[in-house]
């Protein structure tokens, strides 16, 4: 794809913005280099998707929000997501910057760092520099390069060695100003033998067109465990492009729980790099498409270490004239003996105009491995509908029960009760129930 990338600002403007935010010199230089790359690189190549026809140039300008004096001052659009969080660990980003950040004192006492990324680069510069843009590389394509040049707000979470956190840390990222750039970057570092659960929600509350260009980088140390749960519920006005990457060391574990509940065009790519021996990855993705959405979901596991299991499950429901491309990619590199890569992609279509493609891909360069895949695309089984109706259910209730049964293998495995309930509510809303 050779479409010319339109830069939303020039080097002088980017330099002035970086200096006004008090950013260190290494970050300013990193942004400027990424901006140069963005002008040279092509757009990402998505399977059967013309991303160049999407709204991918409407970045807006950097407009940080007004800090919240208290949680009760938060916008009504996110009130339900932060209820009861007064004593919890929470970050809120509104448009181009963080407006609220709190870390529970007992976690701070254990050496945990949880703040917005723009603050972290000033206060924890050496630590941030060691990891920033090392998993999602600016060189990948123009979207990644522009993200590296323009990112704002964001989240930085560091968990020290041997620290086990039982309570999830949460972030809410809101875009409600179409003229404001919304380019959050999430950076999580879990040191040796640590454990953490992180949950975030992406929300929009506006009617004008906008863009979310997001990136997530997770670094899982030896013996560490990271559970990353995310729900995207951006409106029809917002195009969502998100790249997620995790690098996992020896005996580390990454667990992805992803709810794709947007109403606008969406492309997401979630990849686990199993670098260390005994490292593992588990990814669960649930998606619902409606209206005329164009959706592209890719889940990947790349095995370098020996004895590395990965499992990827995606369940998607398409209604109206929504279309989806769902890719599962398992790549087992030479030397990754006794790797085990499993994946399942299934699409249920509720309308004759809905479309879904499920593409399982196995790329194996090692002999002593196990790998498997399953994929299916189909409509509601009306024999099941008629059977349930014969038992006294209405057609609507019968179809609803079948849909929930289709999604249940993913939803039931989500270990966070609050997230399960939230996804259930969002699914019902998207299905018009």
């Amino acid at each position: 794809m050779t479409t010319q990338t339109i830069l939303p600002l020039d080097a002088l403007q980017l330099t002035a913005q970086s200096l006004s935010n008090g950013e260190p010199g290494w970050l300013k230089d990193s942004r400027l280099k990424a901006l140069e790359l963005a002008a040279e690189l092509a757009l990402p190549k998505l399977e059967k998707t013309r991303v160049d026809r999407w709204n991918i140039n409407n970045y807006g300008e950097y407009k940080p929000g007004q800090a919240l004096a208290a949680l009760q001052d938060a916008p009504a659009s996110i009130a339900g997501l932060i209820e009861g969080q007064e004593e919890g660990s929470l970050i809120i980003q509104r448009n181009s910057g963080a407006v609220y950040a709190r870390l529970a004192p007992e976690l701070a006492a254990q050496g945990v760092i949880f703040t917005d990324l723009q603050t972290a680069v000033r206060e924890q510069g050496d630590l941030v520099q060691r990891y920033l843009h090392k998993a999602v590389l600016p060189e990948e394509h123009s979207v990644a390069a522009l993200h590296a040049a323009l990112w704002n707000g964001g989240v930085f979470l560091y968990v020290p060695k041997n620290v086990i956190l039982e309570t999830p840390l949460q972030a809410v990222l809101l875009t409600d100003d179409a003229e404001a750039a919304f380019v959050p970057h999430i950076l999580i570092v879990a040191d040796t033998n640590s454990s953490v659960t992180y949950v975030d929600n992406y929300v929009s509350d506006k009617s004008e067109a906008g863009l979310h260009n997001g990136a997530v980088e997770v670094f899982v140390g030896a013996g560490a465990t990271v559970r990353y749960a995310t729900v995207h519920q951006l409106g029809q006005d917002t195009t969502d492009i998100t790249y997620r990457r995790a690098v996992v060391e020896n005996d580390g574990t990454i667990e992805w729980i992803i709810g794709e509940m947007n109403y606008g065009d969406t492309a997401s790519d979630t990849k686990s790099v199993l670098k260390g021996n005994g490292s593992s990855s588990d990814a669960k993705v649930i998606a619902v498409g409606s209206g005329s959405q164009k959706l592209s979901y890719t889940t990947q596991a790349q095995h370098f270490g020996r004895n590395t299991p990965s499992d990827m499950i995606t369940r998607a429901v398409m209604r109206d004239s929504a279309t989806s491309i769902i890719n599962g990619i398992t790549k087992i590199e030479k030397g990754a003996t006794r790797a085990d890569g499993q994946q399942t992609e299934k699409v249920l279509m509720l309308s004759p105009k809905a479309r879904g493609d499920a593409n399982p891909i196995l790329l194996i360069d090692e002999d002593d491995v196990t790998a498997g895949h399953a994929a299916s695309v189909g409509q509601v089984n009306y024999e099941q509908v008629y059977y349930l109706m014969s038992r006294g259910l209405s057609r609507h209730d019968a179809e609803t029960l079948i849909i929930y049964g289709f999604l249940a293998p993913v939803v039931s495995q989500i270990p966070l009760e609050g997230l399960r309930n939230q996804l259930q509510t969002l699914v019902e809303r998207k299905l018009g129930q």
Side-chain angles (χ1 to χ4, degrees), residues 316 346-350 356 376-381 406:
K346 294 189 175 183
V347 184
L348 180 65
M349 296 178 294
L350 305 183
S376 67
V377 177
Q379 296 191 351
V380 171
N381 186 328
F406 174 78

Side-chain angles (χ1 to χ4, degrees), residues 197-249:
T197 297
Y198 167 84
V199 181
D200 63 24
N201 276 270
Y202 290 74
V203 182
S204 66
D205 185 22
K206 56 186 176 62
S207 56
E208 302 87 354
L211 169 67
H212 166 245
N213 177 352
V216 174
E217 299 183 294
V218 182
F219 295 88
V220 184
T225 298
V226 175
R227 177 181 291 161
Y228 189 108
T230 183
V231 177
H232 287 227
Q233 46 181 312
L234 300 170
Q236 185 177 356
D237 53 87
T238 304
T239 298
D240 183 1
I241 301 180
T242 303
Y243 284 85
R244 308 179 186 95
R245 300 284 185 268
V247 179
V248 191
E249 302 293 344

Side-chain angles (χ1 to χ4, degrees), residues 14 101 131 174 184 215 237 259 371 418:
L14 185 57
Y131 296 99
L174 168 67
D237 53 87

Side-chain angles (χ1 to χ4, degrees), residues 298-320:
T298 298
T299 312
Q300 304 185 57
Q302 186 174 18
H303 298 247
F304 288 97
R306 299 185 298 275
N307 298 296
T308 50
S310 69
D311 191 24
M312 302 181 290
I313 301 175
T314 301
R315 295 279 173 117
V317 176
M318 297 294 115
R319 59 173 295 196
D320 304 324

Side-chain angles (χ1 to χ4, degrees), residues 392-425:
L393 274 67
S394 67
R395 177 181 292 273
H396 176 272
D397 289 343
E399 291 181 346
T400 298
L401 194 60
I402 291 169
I403 293 166
Y404 288 154
F406 174 78
L407 297 174
V410 177
V411 176
S412 63
Q413 293 183 46
I414 295 173
L416 303 172
E417 182 179 1
L419 188 60
R420 283 200 307 271
N421 294 337
Q422 182 191 4
L423 283 173
Q424 177 100 357
T425 300

